[in-house]
Each structure stands twice: as structure tokens, then as C-alpha cells.
Amino acid sequence: MCRHIFALKWIGNSNLIVTWMMIRSTCILQQQAPDHFINKFKYFSSFLLHYSVPPSSPIEETGEDSASHLLSLLSLPNWQKNPRLKTLIPSISPSHITSLFNDNPNLKPQTALSFFNILSQRSNFRPSVESFASLLTILIKNRFLNVAEKIRISMVKACETDDDARFVLGFLRKMNADDDEDFECKFKLSIRCYNTLLMCLSRFSMIDDMKYVFLEMLDDKIMPNIYTYNSMVNGYCKLGKVDAAGLYVTKIAQAGLSPDTHTYTSLILGHCRNKDVDRAHKVFDVMPKKGCCRNEVSYTNLIHGFCEESRIDEALKLFHQMGDDNCFPTVRTFTVLISALSKSGRTAEAWALYSKMSEKSCEPNAHTYTVLIDAMCKEKKLNNARQLLYVMEAKGVEGTVVTYNALIDGFCKEGKVESAFEMLKRMEKKRLKPNVRTYNGLIGGYCKGDNIHKAMALLDKMMKMKLSPTIITYNLLINGQCKHNHVDSAYRLIGLMKDNGVLPDEWTYSALIEALCKRGSVEEAHLLLKEKGIKVNEVTYTTLINGYFQTGKADLSMGLFKEMLTNDFSPNSWTYNVLIHGLCKEDKIQEALMLIGKMIKIGFEVEITTYTIFIEHLLKSFDFFEAHKLFNQLGASGLKPDVCTYTSFILAYCTQGMIKEAEDMMNEMIQKGVKPDTATYTVFIDAYCHVGQINRGFDFLKRMMDAGCEPSQHTYAIILKHLLRKNYKSNTGIDNAIPVNTVWKIMEFDDAIELFSEMVKRGCELKVNTFDALTKGLCKERRFEESLELVNHMLTNGISPNESIYTSLVNCSCYLKMFDKALSLVNNMVENGVLVDLETYKLLICGLYEEGKHEKGKEVFCSLLDGYNSDEVVWTILLDGLLKRGLVKRYFELVGVMEEKGCHLNRYTYQMLVDQMGV
């Protein structure tokens, strides 16, 4: 009951929180809870209070009042030459100026203006609109109107955000108003000030404010001029509102004026924004007939319009015509075209234009370089992209956040997260602040590289930087959690995102549904869709269809497919492949063939994957004739066999001992430009070793590594299987097959040494991945001592263990209750800058507590509180770790530790802690 009372009002009512705590405490006491529960509840209560009552903003302690300090300095004779001024200037901010002038309205206007000008000469000092306004108050009060006019024009031009523009608009309105007696700073707006204000509002697309300012101008009996009308036309055209802009073009004629180049150029922009580039071209063509010269902006606006409509050749034709109007391409003209050519895959032409820029003495700017860097990153030419960044900086062009984001995203997508972080450090050294997109790229890189704990730590860092995670951020993290089968954490992340005001979409739940299907919980996944009312899509349907096939429920799969068609969802190639593969697995070949017929009938191109599924089915029964017949039809269909198609043949041949035919197939695939993968090479290694040609098997291992194809754990298990078989036969004379899944149970350290020796003999470099594969295999079988021998061997060979090896060793030692070893390894990881996986910490901390080593457990928990996402620490260590093991007392103890350390948790996580107290 207590829980329900609290659930009614969680947000924003600290009195209710306190009341709830008193009720809760009474409930616990009535149940005669042990003392340690009451003590820990006190911790938890203060923890909740800490969260529920927002702390007061701390008062900034600045020592001596800065405004008074400055005033005393400015009161001195010859203050401009006072050495104290030179010392103070670097620390003076626009807010200091605002405070000084607002607090001292009687300051001499000459002094105020002189001081303001001295500060403005600093390269790194940008006066704020508020500081301009405070100066204007002094100047206008003393009737320094000529200089005040210049200052207020500068104030309008200084607007950097729409908030700045709103402040300036409000201030100027008060200055201009006749009925505001409380406002002393009266100075009617001039036409120049009105026009500058309209241009400013246009820059921030504040079109409604522009309309009202225009009407206010008319009320002031100020006649608009061509600049006024052009500002209005431009403002509407920027938003694509050409019809509204046309009304002001009409007013130009009514005022006895003529539209000029700027008017027509704005109309070109407006039509282009409306995706009506042909109308824009008509305006462009009519300009000379109206006596208006076309300029670089007119050309560039139209060129950009053509590029946006993917009419790049027409844009290039215009580009080459610019000289006819005595116009020269600007850096924006070049950049627009370079961007369009790059996006359409015409990179050679993009680079030719880039080269032409220097010929035309038009230096590329940051945007130009960013476009090229982004294009190279998309082509996976990451080193070239990085080199272009260095060239750009050497020329004195500073990259923007967008520039670095392109590189960070490129490196992360290729799994090179360390290189991405180098870019982040370089970016921060340039005093560029990472944004949400920066962190999304890094989070995506970590999730792709199976480092979800590091991705979650970045979420924590984002929050501390006051960056609001987006739906993309959460979807990446949820997908990462699901890849590791951490379904509970994925559910919790959905709760977290909702609590932070981000609504899940169908892609959020798609990852969760896929994870549930992969672990065989298809019914739970299907139920989740119905309970949550999730909007289904083609991906969701296909995932569920595949899930039911995997659990042997073909009828339910086909039922879902029919439902998908009934609900007007178009199956994609993946859907059909899933169906065909599932039906072939169930030996329902005719139904599968009917589906292919349906695909062709509705105009769906049958992909190579679909044919490969049929070829695999034929090869399973070693029907090489029909399989080759289908294979030969691929060329006639315009399809190119991929590595999976070839490997299916190679596996079937090798299984039948037809190794020569398999090698012929491999030679054919290489000739056709299809690269063998790990599976292809592993099949050959297994086949040759099986027939006793172990040397030939190692030759294929060498070919594999030379081709840059990394052997898998299965590859090494296959080789070790045959080495064990050979040694067993030589010792006993009996040739017994050894199942590959028993290799890690029976191999000895000497077998690993033999493997390394054979590899070195054939020029195969021993890498950390080799030791990683073997260590993982041994650790899964809890063979810690043998794993440690391997690590010592790699160290003697000058190879340092990677994070994966350390994690395998720590987990293994925890399972064996060798916690001193585990602690030593964790300390080693931390010393080497490795962020230990939270799942590993869970094993260690829970193990230490279960063994009665409470202080050690607490010490380890304290050590991990820096650098991890606090919510995930609670989910993994406290909820999924301690509570599930029944360590309730320790659970409360560590909640108290988190409170003492000032860890900030999301409200959703607090609610989970409350619920888990369970009355």
C-alpha cells in the first residue's frame, strides 16, 4: 500500500516525499525489521530527499565586487594609462560591463564610451547585446545621440542568437515608445535602424516580428525604402513563402521604386526553397530584361537550387556561364557544387573543382574542407580525410565542430574508436565544444565494438555537459545492450528515456524484439508489441517471422506474413529471404519456390542471398548438378555470386573430400574479385588437416593472415583439434576423431606452444588476437592456470594482453572464487587505463561479499564510481547483482556509499530502488 501512495505523486512535491518516508518507516518498523535495515533506510531516505528537493543555486564568490572595482579605477585621472587597467582587461567580461553601466547610470558618457571602445579592440572580446544596451542608456540620457545611433546599429548587428534578437527588439521598442514613461532612454528609431533591425530578424527567420516592425515603422510615419522592402522580401523567401514576398514586391512598385538585383535574387532563393527551381530559373532569365545585373549570389542561389534537385549538370552549365555576366564564383558557389558532386558519387569532378579554386584565387573555407572530408570518410578513406584536416589547419583555416564530427563518425563506423578519440582531443584543444552528434558518433562506435559499458559512460558525460540525449542516442545504447543480451538494461533505458522526455519509436522496440527473438523468447516479443501498442514496421514483422521459424513454429511465421500483407506492409528482400530460408529448413521447397515466383511477379528483384539459400539447400544433400545449374543461371540473371555462395560450394566439396574441386572454386571466386572470408579459409584448413595434410592446412592459415583476414576462435579450435588428433595417434596408434567442442577441455599448454611454433615456422605473425582466442576458450572451461601460462608466454614475446584477455581472466578467476587473483588483475587493468566491464565488476563484488570479504567488496565498488554511468552501476551491480543474490544488507550499504559519493541518478532509477525495497 505504501508503494502505491508514493507512486501517485513522485514529481516535484517534497512534502509528500517526507510524508511517504514516515509512512514507509512505520511499515518497516511494524514488520520488526532488523537494525541494519533501519540504519540503511536512513541513508536511503536522505538519498531521496537529496533528489526530491532541488538544491539552491550556489552563490558565486567573486571576492571584491567587480563593478565597484572598475568604477574606482575609472574615477582616477588618466585612468587609460593606469597599469592596473592593463592587468584587469583580460579578465573583464561583457557581463562585468553590463553590471558597471547599469549600476552607475551617472557615469560620464565619454568615460563609458572610451572604456567600451578599449575593450572592444581586444580580439577575444565580443560585447553582448546587454552590454551595448547598458552603454546606450548612459549615452542617450546625456543626449549623445549621434554616437548612440552608431552604437545601437552595432548592437543590432551583434545579435548571435534569436534570443539576442528578441532582447534587442524589446529594448528598441521601449526606446521608441511614446507611452512608456518609466523608460528614460528615449530615442526614436531612424530608417537605418529599422532596416538593420529587419535584416537581423530576417537572419533568424523571425518573420512575424518582421511584419510587426514594418507596421510600427509605418505608424512612425517613416517611409520604407528599397532596403526595407528587400529585407521583407528576403525574410519571406528564406522560408519559401514566395506569395507573401510578392506582396512586398508589389509595394515596391506602389512606392514608385523598382525591384533591384537583391529583390530578384531573393525571389530566386524563395522558389528554390519551394523546390520550384524552374520558376527560379524564369526569374533569373527575366533579370537582364528588367535592367538588373545578375551577381554571384543570384547564380549561386540558382546553382544550389539545381543541386538540391539533383540536376547537377544544369548547375554546372550555369557555373560555366558566370563569366558572361562578369561574375566570378565565390567560395560558396564552389562549395555547393563540390558538395553535390560528392554526394552523387562524382568525386573526381568534385576534386577537380577543388583544384580549380586555387587557380581562380578562391581559397576554400572550413565548409569546403568539411564537405571533402565528409566525402572521404563516407568512402572509407579515413587517413586521406585526416591528412586533409592537417592541410586545412596548416593553411590557417580552423575546422568547425561539423568538420571534426565527420571524422569522428567516419572512424567510429570503421571501428577505429581510438582514432576518433584522438580527433575529439584535437577538437577540444581548439576550444570547440563537442555536441550531441559528436557523442552519438562515439557511442555508436563503442556499441559497434561491443563496449556498451564505455558507451554508457559517455551518456553520463553528456549529461554532465548539459547535452540532452536524443532518440538516436538512446536507440544506439538500447541496441548495444540488446547485442549483449542485456534485455533488462534495455528495458530500463526505455524507462530512462521516457523520464527524460524522449519518446521511444518503432526502432527503439525493434532492437528489443530482435534480442528477445534471438534468445528464443518470441512469444514475449510478440506480446510486447501488443501490450505497448508499438507501431509495427517491415523490420518488426520480419524479426518476429524469423524468430518463429527459429523456434520451429513455421505456421505462426506464415500467419504473421499474411497479417503483414493484410496491413499493407510491403515485404522487403530480407523478409522474403527469411521466409525462403525458413521454408527450406522445413523442407517446404515448393512453397519457397512459389514465394520466389511471387517476388518476380510483383517486380521484386531476387537477390543473390535468395539464390544462395536454395544452393545451400541443394548442397546439403550433395546435389552438385542442380546446385551448379542454379549457380550458372545467376550470370544470366545479372547477379554476381558472393562469398557465401562460393563458400557453400567449397564446404560441400570439402565435406565429400573433393578438395581439388573446392580449390578450383576458390580460384574462380578470387578471379571474379570476390574475397574469401574467415569461414572460407577455415573450411580449407579443416579439410586439409582432416586428410592428414596439416602442413597444407597451415599454408592456408598463412594465406588467410596475409590477406588481412583474422582467424577466429573457431579457426584455432579446428587447428588444435587436428594437432591433438595427430599427437594422440602417434602416441597410441589409434586415429580417433576429436570433437571441436572438446578442444578447450583437453588441450595442454604444450599443444598451444606447438601451434605457435608451426605458425612462426610458416611466417604467421603471433598477434594478440591469437592469444585472445585461446585464452577465451580455456577460460570458458575454467582452466585459469593454463590461461595464465599463455599470457606469460605472450608477455615473453613482447605482446601485451588486450582488454578481452584481461576480462576473460578476471571472470574465470571469479568463477573459481580466486578473488585475490581477480583483484590483482583488475588493478592491473585500471593502471593500464582499461575501463573494466561492469559485468566483470558485478562478478567480483558479489563474489567478494558472498565470501565474506565485505570491506574489499565495498572498496572495489567505491573505485568504480568514477568513470561509469551511475544509473547503469545501480542496474548492474545493485539490482542484477546483489539483490538477485539475496545480499539485501550489502545492497543498502552500497546505496549509502553512492549517496556519500554524490552520485547523480535519474529519477527513473530512484523509483526502481524504491520499488526494490519491497514492503
Side-chain angles (χ1 to χ4, degrees), residues 810 813-825 843-851 853:
V810 175
S813 56
C814 286
Y815 284 122
L816 294 170
K817 300 188 184 301
M818 299 163 59
F819 295 110
D820 289 339
K821 288 276 188 187
L823 275 170
S824 176
L825 286 163
L843 282 175
L844 178 56
I845 291 167
C846 291
L848 286 167
Y849 275 124
E850 285 175 334
E851 289 292 298
K853 299 179 179 180

Side-chain angles (χ1 to χ4, degrees), residues 498-626:
K498 285 179 180 176
D499 206 64
N500 285 333
V502 182
L503 292 176
D505 60 11
E506 61 263 37
W507 301 109
T508 312
Y509 287 105
S510 289
L512 193 56
I513 287 163
E514 186 178 0
L516 289 167
C517 289
K518 277 183 180 176
R519 72 179 192 184
S521 305
V522 195
E523 286 82 1
E524 185 184 341
H526 205 164
L527 189 63
L528 178 69
L529 273 176
K530 292 175 181 176
E531 283 181 350
K532 298 288 183 182
I534 300 163
K535 184 183 175 184
V536 291
N537 55 26
E538 292 85 351
V539 176
T540 318
Y541 268 119
T542 306
T543 303
L544 285 170
I545 289 167
N546 188 42
Y548 278 121
F549 268 128
Q550 294 301 319
T551 53
K553 296 175 181 177
D555 291 342
L556 289 173
S557 292
M558 295 309 296
L560 267 177
F561 178 60
K562 288 174 185 175
E563 181 187 310
M564 184 179 182
L565 296 173
T566 306
N567 291 332
D568 293 327
F569 284 100
S570 300
N572 54 28
S573 60
W574 179 42
T575 314
Y576 279 108
N577 282 327
V578 163
L579 288 162
I580 291 163
H581 187 73
L583 290 168
C584 286
K585 194 177 174 182
E586 296 284 320
D587 284 326
K588 297 180 178 180
I589 304 301
Q590 288 306 314
E591 289 182 50
L593 286 169
M594 284 174 65
L595 271 179
I596 286 188
K598 189 170 185 177
M599 285 174 72
I600 294 167
K601 188 177 179 181
I602 61 176
F604 216 112
E605 288 187 9
V606 183
E607 295 182 355
I608 186 61
T609 319
T610 311
Y611 281 104
T612 302
I613 290 166
F614 274 100
I615 288 169
E616 282 177 353
H617 183 76
L618 292 167
L619 290 172
K620 277 180 184 176
S621 56
F622 305 112
D623 190 345
F624 289 105
F625 178 78
E626 287 296 329

